[in-house]
Amino acid sequence: MNPGILTPPTQFATMPRGLLGRPTPVPMPHGMTWVHPEALDWRARVIANGGRVSSATLAAVSDFCVSLDTAGVRAAILRCNLFCGSNLAAARTPLYLSGSFGGSVIGNTTDTNVGPFVEADYQETGSLGGLKGNGTSKALLTGFRTNSLASGNSFHLSASATALAPLASAIMLGAYSGSGSAIIALDELASYLSPTGRSFRCGESDAASVVRASQDSTEAHIIGTKTASNFAAIYRPPGLVASNTTTQTTPSYNFGMAVFAGAQGDSTRILFSAARMRMYSIGNGLSATQAAAFSAAVVAFNTALSRA
């Protein structure tokens, strides 16, 4: 083992091998000890995409990965972007691209820039940390298609964001069939619903599939999740804030999901958000315990980057 590398936790007894094309342990960045293999993999992809990662950010990403592994949440997170790194290229490189390290990639390897976002829209740290939308034309395309979800009765969307103060309807992330049904979306504001407010839609676009929550200007971490045909919920730290027990089926359709807007088919985006997004995730349904652990990891990560 390379000098100065400490023994990793027991769940990672072997140092990551092969990331740099040779059967030896991957060297750690200067001044660091053990780093989670998925954090190292993310850093390598960031560099390949023309981005940069500081040692402090890498350590925060590593801690995030360890937290999700320890809590047993990792397998439920099929795609996650923490919007971090020293430039826009880094921020467009998701940390997780499947439900396991080395699993088959779901969606685009980087978030496709539509609009486009420019360097001035992104800041890594501080109270203005995150990627800022413009509410009219800028979005990211994940390439994560709705039929990649394992079940229409088990999925989630989540986000951490600030500057949430829309005057009209806006979607933080999701996809919509365009026919008045078949929608999976985490709404920044759904002004056409009664009552209005933040919402999670997970099937038909009427009240039967909507969970509503208050329209706060900052979301430390908000999770919309469906875990059964008759249970959908919104979680915020420290726990459940709203639920819907109406039985309904999520229609199956094959559209890619967008961030900062709703993807309406493969070529149209609607209801753009001007929020400052600090992360998003797409994946399987989360229990209350899993949601709490996931949110704690997101909040800790944002705190490490002085975003809180």
Side-chain angles (χ1 to χ4, degrees), residues 38-54 57-58 61 81 84-95 109-110:
E38 291 194 272
L40 285 173
D41 175 72
W42 170 75
R43 176 178 176 270
R45 288 184 284 112
V46 165
I47 293 171
N49 293 335
R52 303 182 303 277
V53 179
S54 69
T57 294
L58 183 61
V61 172
N81 191 335
C84 58
S86 301
N87 57 3
L88 183 59
R92 289 177 45 237
T93 305
L95 170 61
T109 55
T110 59

Side-chain angles (χ1 to χ4, degrees), residues 74-167:
R74 171 63 184 94
I77 314 302
L78 304 182
R79 188 178 185 93
C80 179
N81 191 335
L82 296 174
F83 292 137
C84 58
S86 301
N87 57 3
L88 183 59
R92 289 177 45 237
T93 305
L95 170 61
Y96 296 149
L97 293 169
S98 70
S100 63
F101 184 33
S104 298
V105 172
I106 305 173
N108 303 330
T109 55
T110 59
D111 287 331
T112 301
N113 188 1
V114 174
F117 289 97
V118 297
E119 290 292 342
D121 296 324
Y122 173 67
Q123 181 172 314
E124 181 180 27
T125 61
S127 61
L128 298 181
L131 183 60
K132 182 72 167 64
N134 68 352
T136 58
S137 61
K138 297 183 179 184
L140 297 176
L141 305 184
T142 67
F144 187 110
R145 307 186 78 80
T146 50
N147 67 353
S148 296
L149 294 166
S151 168
N153 290 325
S154 178
F155 56 86
H156 86 270
L157 303 177
S158 87
S160 175
T162 62
L164 294 160
L167 299 177

